[in-house]
Amino acid sequence: MSLVSPEYIRYFYYGAIVIMIPFIISDLLKKKKEDKIDGTKHFKISVYNILIAIAMMVVLFFLINSNYPS
């Protein structure tokens, strides 16, 4: 996509995030139902994975935007 129109790549990323959020929520709801029925812990593991990914993105954001000389 960046080869076709590089000036709109940011908006494509924003659109992809908006489109993916309902899929993530529906998948989490499905895992929560399966956990209640089967007694597994897939939902809990998925939530932990999301939290770890958010923490890594926050750390990377602050590292990228720091004012230290490279």
Side-chain angles (χ1 to χ4, degrees):
M1 195 53 88
S2 64
L3 295 174
V4 176
S5 57
E7 63 270 5
Y8 296 115
I9 192 73
R10 180 189 320 176
Y11 303 111
F12 290 130
Y13 286 149
Y14 293 156
I17 291 170
V18 169
I19 291 169
M20 287 306 297
I21 288 175
F23 288 112
I24 293 170
I25 291 172
S26 67
D27 185 53
L28 285 174
L29 292 174
K30 188 187 318 179
K31 287 181 182 182
K32 189 173 182 180
K33 286 181 185 178
E34 289 176 3
D35 285 353
K36 283 185 180 180
I37 294 170
D38 299 335
T40 58
K41 295 184 180 183
H42 296 295
F43 176 74
K44 188 176 179 181
I45 293 170
S46 295
V47 171
Y48 286 152
N49 286 337
I50 292 171
L51 292 175
I52 290 170
I54 290 171
M56 289 173 50
M57 285 189 284
V58 168
V59 168
L60 287 174
F61 175 79
F62 284 115
L63 286 175
I64 292 170
N65 290 325
S66 66
N67 291 326
Y68 294 113
S70 55

